[in-house]
Amino acid sequence: MTTLGVFLNSLKMCCLHYRHLSGDVGSWLDRAKENNGGRYSETHVENVKVLAKLFPLYGLQLLYRACITQIPSGYYIQTMNSNLHLTSLLLPIGAMNVISIIPLLLLAPLIECVTTCYLSAEKTPLAPAKVITLGHACATLSVLVAGLSELHRRSYPLVEQTLSGKVLQVSSMPCFHLAPQYILLGLAEALVTPACELPNIFPADPKPHQRDLLTLPHSVLWRGCFLAALIVQLVYFLSGGNFYPDALHDGNLERFFFLLASLMAVYRLSVRGKALTVSPLAEKLLHYKACLRFYDT
C-alpha cells in the first residue's frame, strides 16, 4: 500500500473521528475494526487514533513554520532597511542570519549532554511535547519582539545607504538591535526540530505502510512556507499594502508580526490538552530505547 493510500484511508477514519466528537470517540473508531464488523485491522485503527491526536500538533507546526520563514522574508526586509554600517564596514544583509544559527550550534551539544546526564542518573528526559511547546513559545516571542523592534526602528531618522549600487532611504537604527528576534527564532528551531522527530510516537509495527506514516511530519515544512506566503498575500491585499508595505517606512509591518504572534498564541491555547500525550508505559519504552542508544555510543 502506498503512503498516499494509507494517508487517505487514515484521513477518512479521522474524519469519522471528528464527525462524532459529541459521542464516545473510541467506540466510533472501534466500530471500524474487523472484529467489530468493520473493514480495518485493529492495528490500523489504533494507529489512526494516534494520528488523529497528532493533527492539532501538525496544525500548530504549520504556524510555527510560517514564523520560521520570517528569517528569509520579514526579518530580511527589516535588516535591509536598517543601518548596516559597522564603523566604516558595510555588513552584508545575510550577516544577521548567522545570529540565528548560533543558538542551534550551542544548544545541540548542550541538550545532548543534559539528556546523557538524565540517563546516567536513571531519570526520564523532558518529554518531547514539552520541548516543542517551549520552542513554539520562543517563536511566538520572536515575532512579538520583531513587531516591537519595527516600532523602535521607525522611530529613528532616515539615512541614505547604498546596497548593490542602489541608494536607499533606511532607518539609522543599527541592525544589531534586531538580534533578539533572530536569537529567539534560532532557539525555537534548536528546540522544536529535534523534538519533532516522532518515530517513537507511533506504535511499533514491521509493516512498511506504518513506517510510511512517519514521513508525514516532513510535509509540514513546505506547507508552512506556503501558509506564510498565503498570509502575506492576504494581509497585503486586505490592508491595502499597509501591513506588508512595499516601502517599509510607509507602512506598518509590525502589525503583520503581531498578527503572527496572536495566531500562534490563540492556536496554542485552543489545542491545549488535545495534542498527543504519552502514556506512562510509552514513557518507559522511550526511556528504555534511549538507554540502549546511550550504551551503544
Side-chain angles (χ1 to χ4, degrees):
M1 186 181 294
T2 64
T3 302
L4 179 61
V6 173
F7 176 69
L8 290 177
N9 283 335
S10 301
L11 185 61
K12 180 168 66 175
M13 294 182 67
C14 287
C15 289
L16 177 66
H17 171 121
Y18 287 107
R19 188 177 172 185
H20 301 285
L21 279 177
S22 59
D24 186 353
V25 173
S27 64
W28 282 108
L29 285 176
D30 288 338
R31 292 181 184 181
K33 296 180 180 179
E34 291 175 343
N35 54 6
N36 290 332
R39 299 169 50 191
Y40 302 93
S41 67
E42 182 173 357
T43 301
H44 188 76
V45 173
E46 293 301 321
N47 285 341
V48 169
K49 288 181 181 180
V50 177
L51 181 63
K53 291 180 180 180
L54 284 173
F55 274 9
L57 179 61
Y58 288 158
L60 191 58
Q61 278 295 97
L62 290 177
L63 280 174
Y64 165 75
R65 285 296 164 188
C67 293
I68 291 296
T69 57
Q70 294 311 302
I71 288 182
S73 56
Y75 291 6
Y76 183 92
I77 295 174
Q78 269 189 305
T79 306
M80 184 178 66
N81 285 270
S82 301
N83 186 5
L84 291 169
H85 285 89
L86 180 63
T87 62
S88 60
L89 177 65
L90 180 65
L91 296 174
I93 303 173
M96 294 298 295
N97 293 359
V98 177
I99 297 178
S100 67
I101 300 174
I102 292 176
L104 187 60
L105 295 176
L106 295 178
L107 275 181
L110 180 60
I111 292 175
E112 185 68 22
C113 179
V114 171
T115 302
T116 303
C117 292
Y118 267 88
L119 293 176
S120 301
E122 297 184 353
K123 296 180 180 179
T124 303
L126 194 64
K130 294 181 179 179
V131 177
I132 293 173
T133 300
L134 182 59
H136 287 167
C138 290
T140 305
L141 187 58
S142 175
V143 288
L144 178 61
V145 170
L148 297 174
S149 297
E150 179 60 18
L151 291 174
H152 181 59
R153 188 195 64 80
R154 289 172 55 199
S155 67
Y156 279 74
L158 296 178
V159 296
E160 290 187 350
Q161 182 168 265
T162 304
L163 292 174
S164 301
K166 186 177 180 180
V167 178
L168 302 176
Q169 293 286 328
V170 302
S171 171
S172 58
M173 183 193 82
C175 62
F176 292 110
H177 289 198
L178 303 175
Q181 64 201 55
Y182 280 90
I183 293 174
L184 284 168
L185 214 50
L187 180 60
E189 191 71 342
L191 293 171
V192 172
T193 300
C196 279
E197 295 297 327
L198 299 174
N200 290 323
I201 289 181
F202 290 93
D205 193 309
K207 294 181 180 179
H209 69 268
Q210 298 297 340
R211 293 194 299 269
D212 288 340
L213 284 174
L214 302 180
T215 62
L216 188 59
H218 300 288
S219 67
V220 174
L221 177 60
W222 67 266
R223 293 177 191 273
C225 296
F226 177 79
L227 177 63
L230 179 62
I231 293 175
V232 168
Q233 288 297 323
L234 284 176
V235 299
Y236 181 83
F237 286 113
L238 293 178
S239 67
N242 186 267
F243 273 33
Y244 215 97
D246 295 323
L248 209 56
H249 55 274
D250 292 332
N252 297 95
L253 183 61
E254 71 278 358
R255 296 180 183 178
F256 172 74
F257 292 136
F258 291 151
L259 175 64
L260 269 184
S262 301
L263 289 175
M264 280 289 292
V266 170
Y267 196 86
R268 176 76 252 182
L269 292 175
S270 67
V271 302
R272 178 180 293 176
K274 296 181 182 179
L276 181 68
T277 54
V278 183
S279 65
L281 178 59
E283 287 184 352
K284 290 181 179 179
L285 288 174
L286 290 175
H287 181 60
Y288 173 71
K289 292 179 181 180
C291 289
L292 290 179
R293 288 197 300 269
F294 172 70
Y295 285 113
D296 283 343
T297 57

